[in-house]
Amino acid sequence: MGEFRKEDYIAQLSIDCVIFGYNNNELKVLISKLSYGEDLWSLPGGFILQTESIDQAASRILMERTGLDNIYLEQFRAFGSPDRIIGSEYREVVRAGLRDFAAKKFDDEAIDWVTSRFVCIGYYALVDLNKVDPKIGEFEEFLKWVSIEDLPNMTHDHNEIVEEAHKSLRQNLDEKLIGFNLLPEEFTMREIKELYEAIYDKEFPMNNFQKKILGLDVLERLGKKYTGAQNRAPYIYKFKK
Amino acid sequence: MGEFRKEDYIAQLSIDCVIFGYNNNELKVLISKLSYGEDLWSLPGGFILQTESIDQAASRILMERTGLDNIYLEQFRAFGSPDRIIGSEYREVVRAGLRDFAAKKFDDEAIDWVTSRFVCIGYYALVDLNKVDPKIGEFEEFLKWVSIEDLPNMTHDHNEIVEEAHKSLRQNLDEKLIGFNLLPEEFTMREIKELYEAIYDKEFPMNNFQKKILGLDVLERLGKKYTGAQNRAPYIYKFKK
């Protein structure tokens, strides 16, 4: 990627991605430590080319910024307060950092462009944390999976964006579950219950949960999972095609 | 409103409003016949001032374009295909129409601006059709409530925007119902059932519906509604505070 040509992009409109990673019964978020400022954290984000749709932009940005490819992204909300960066202390930090760090890519005019008011369209995804290997983009020192409760203060309104993404993830989760492709091909009732518990951050009693999830009529029961112990071998399920 | 100053607005980002009106067990949509072209129909929409949030812009646009004030608008999705107008036959019609009709307001540069690629943020509302009295904006010949099944072809992707708004309205309707303030202060079970039937476009058997809606625990039962006939006086309900 060479010099930044702002005329290739839509001005004042950005995309930010909330990548939820699930692993070991825990829900995490992928955030990046920006190279051009001390203690500057943000969601992976970027701008929209004049030639691409906003969905295409979201996928491209995610690929460029994190190395993650073929991820199903869901648009959930636009964020449009006029003071998302204007008036925020971050603006001067970002300006100074960009001037310093990215002088070859951003001239003064481009820095004004990048730090002007932006409306942001939020996308989120849910991935198996073990199956992805994020690669840093050119403005990142490193990327990090952080538990949703332990997020640092991020630039702009990115903490609020994560909260809203989490709300959207919880809404109609039953319908989204298959699309996210998050469980192994075959899984036990306990495994799917643990996934729900991580996302809703509460425990579900097994009996009620099993009744509810079987009621959705999306699971096919296969055999039992024999582990050597004779008792309590759990049933194995997969999603119906 | 005087001459249009494009520098007051965010470029390439618009807002469109889907106003659902409910009346006589029917769901309608408020659309406008544009003044500057034959058979040009569109949703009420407009642009975002540099100084206002996108929510504020949505309310202001709705007020300016339809005379509707204090309407609860819900953001539901952004639409961002690069060919929403570029490449569409509408673009030249709109350009010619604006040049003709709005020459005082739009010079050539402004017409280029207005007919460039836009990403649109969609908002919808649900109102009691009888309680509102839309007033036309400056580019409208007239506004019209049209049944959702009988919408004409509209400019851009506005028909698709209505479809998506309708989907969003149906999602989690139970939670939204009170906020929309659509029923009279006191109502019967039949009245709330008819509202659901209009929105979902199907009939709900009374027994099941009543069980479901009472299960939400949002209704307070008042007395019976006596209409003179001794039998079958229905109960009256209101929403719990």
Side-chain angles (χ1 to χ4, degrees):
Chain A
M1 206 171 165
E3 204 187 334
F4 172 75
R5 288 162 36 96
K6 61 182 166 46
E7 57 274 24
D8 293 342
Y9 297 89
I10 294 181
Q12 301 195 265
L13 188 60
S14 67
I15 282 176
D16 284 310
C17 303
V18 181
I19 311 302
F20 292 109
Y22 173 68
N23 183 243
N24 271 335
N25 312 340
E26 210 186 353
L27 196 62
K28 297 186 172 182
V29 179
L30 187 65
I31 63 173
S32 66
K33 165 71 182 64
L34 298 175
S35 313
Y36 52 86
E38 216 175 308
D39 209 25
L40 271 190
W41 297 89
S42 85
L43 294 171
F47 311 124
I48 301 152
L49 284 167
Q50 292 290 0
T51 51
E52 69 190 350
S53 73
I54 54 177
D55 289 352
Q56 288 167 338
S59 297
R60 176 186 53 75
I61 289 163
L62 190 64
M63 175 62 190
E64 285 175 6
R65 294 286 305 270
T66 69
L68 299 179
D69 206 358
N70 290 317
I71 302 270
Y72 172 67
L73 281 162
E74 182 142 317
Q75 191 204 113
F76 67 99
R77 213 189 103 182
F79 297 81
S81 158
D83 52 6
R84 292 187 59 241
I85 187 166
I86 310 294
S88 102
E89 59 188 297
Y90 284 122
R91 189 182 190 206
E92 285 316 308
V93 179
V94 171
R95 290 176 70 89
L98 281 175
R99 209 169 269 129
D100 223 40
F101 181 82
K104 272 182 205 147
K105 192 175 163 81
F106 291 111
D107 60 18
D108 273 0
E109 215 182 320
I111 290 175
D112 284 345
W113 189 95
V114 169
T115 57
S116 65
R117 173 188 175 184
F118 272 81
V119 172
C120 151
I121 301 175
Y123 282 79
Y124 73 85
L126 184 55
V127 300
D128 180 342
L129 200 147
N130 279 330
K131 283 198 187 146
V132 297
D133 177 22
K135 288 164 190 62
I136 57 170
E138 57 180 332
F139 296 126
E140 280 141 3
E141 219 170 291
F142 56 85
L143 290 151
K144 195 178 170 182
W145 291 104
V146 181
S147 163
I148 194 159
E149 281 104 32
D150 301 328
L151 289 171
N153 279 329
M154 293 189 282
T155 60
H156 299 76
D157 49 3
H158 287 189
N159 292 78
E160 185 198 342
I161 292 176
V162 172
E163 268 177 49
E164 290 297 321
H166 196 187
K167 270 191 217 162
S168 295
L169 175 63
R170 289 173 170 181
Q171 272 178 355
N172 311 318
L173 180 61
D174 298 341
E175 293 162 32
K176 295 170 189 166
L177 204 62
I178 305 174
F180 282 128
N181 199 18
L182 201 70
L183 290 165
E185 176 101 10
E186 301 180 356
F187 46 84
T188 63
M189 192 54 70
R190 172 165 303 277
E191 283 174 308
I192 190 167
K193 184 168 92 78
E194 283 169 346
L195 173 61
Y196 270 74
E197 290 177 336
I199 291 172
Y200 287 99
D201 193 23
K202 65 175 179 195
E203 284 184 34
F204 296 105
M206 181 54 104
N207 280 353
N208 289 351
F209 181 81
Q210 176 156 327
K211 203 167 150 190
K212 172 201 133 91
I213 210 89
L214 292 177
L216 297 176
D217 195 30
V218 294
L219 297 185
E220 186 180 335
R221 199 172 82 177
L222 307 171
K224 287 203 172 196
K225 186 178 177 182
Y226 292 104
T227 52
Q230 286 289 349
N231 289 327
R232 303 175 62 90
Y235 281 107
I236 305 168
Y237 296 88
K238 67 172 191 176
F239 285 116
K240 289 184 181 171
K241 292 285 173 210
Chain B
M1 204 171 167
E3 204 189 332
F4 172 75
R5 287 164 35 96
K6 62 182 166 44
E7 57 275 24
D8 293 342
Y9 296 90
I10 294 180
Q12 301 197 266
L13 188 60
S14 66
I15 283 177
D16 283 310
C17 303
V18 182
I19 311 301
F20 292 109
Y22 174 68
N23 182 241
N24 271 336
N25 311 341
E26 211 187 350
L27 196 63
K28 297 187 171 181
V29 179
L30 187 66
I31 64 173
S32 65
K33 166 73 182 67
L34 298 176
S35 312
Y36 51 84
E38 217 175 308
D39 208 26
L40 270 190
W41 297 89
S42 86
L43 293 172
F47 311 123
I48 301 151
L49 284 167
Q50 293 290 0
T51 50
E52 69 190 352
S53 73
I54 53 176
D55 290 352
Q56 289 166 338
S59 297
R60 175 185 55 74
I61 288 163
L62 190 64
M63 175 62 192
E64 285 174 8
R65 294 287 303 271
T66 68
L68 298 179
D69 206 357
N70 289 318
I71 302 268
Y72 173 68
L73 282 160
E74 182 142 317
Q75 191 203 114
F76 67 99
R77 213 189 102 181
F79 297 82
S81 158
D83 52 7
R84 292 185 59 241
I85 187 167
I86 311 294
S88 102
E89 58 189 298
Y90 284 121
R91 190 184 189 204
E92 285 316 308
V93 179
V94 171
R95 289 176 71 89
L98 280 175
R99 209 170 268 128
D100 224 38
F101 180 83
K104 273 183 204 144
K105 194 176 160 81
F106 291 111
D107 59 18
D108 274 0
E109 214 182 320
I111 290 175
D112 284 345
W113 190 96
V114 169
T115 57
S116 65
R117 174 190 175 183
F118 272 81
V119 172
C120 152
I121 302 175
Y123 282 80
Y124 73 86
L126 183 55
V127 299
D128 180 343
L129 201 147
N130 279 329
K131 284 199 187 148
V132 298
D133 177 23
K135 287 163 191 62
I136 58 169
E138 58 180 331
F139 296 127
E140 282 141 3
E141 219 169 292
F142 54 86
L143 290 152
K144 195 178 171 182
W145 290 106
V146 181
S147 164
I148 194 160
E149 280 102 33
D150 301 328
L151 288 171
N153 279 331
M154 294 189 281
T155 59
H156 299 76
D157 49 3
H158 288 189
N159 292 76
E160 184 198 343
I161 292 177
V162 172
E163 268 178 48
E164 290 296 321
H166 196 186
K167 269 190 217 163
S168 295
L169 175 63
R170 288 173 170 181
Q171 271 178 356
N172 311 318
L173 179 61
D174 298 340
E175 293 161 32
K176 295 170 188 165
L177 203 61
I178 304 176
F180 281 129
N181 200 19
L182 202 71
L183 290 165
E185 176 101 9
E186 301 180 357
F187 47 84
T188 64
M189 192 55 70
R190 173 165 302 278
E191 283 174 307
I192 189 167
K193 184 168 90 82
E194 284 169 350
L195 173 62
Y196 270 75
E197 290 177 338
I199 291 172
Y200 287 100
D201 194 24
K202 64 175 178 191
E203 284 185 35
F204 296 105
M206 180 54 103
N207 280 352
N208 288 352
F209 181 80
Q210 176 156 329
K211 203 166 148 189
K212 172 200 131 89
I213 210 89
L214 292 178
L216 297 177
D217 196 29
V218 295
L219 297 186
E220 186 181 335
R221 199 172 80 176
L222 306 171
K224 286 201 171 196
K225 186 177 178 181
Y226 292 104
T227 52
Q230 286 290 350
N231 289 328
R232 302 177 63 90
Y235 281 106
I236 304 167
Y237 296 88
K238 66 173 192 176
F239 285 116
K240 288 184 182 172
K241 295 283 174 210

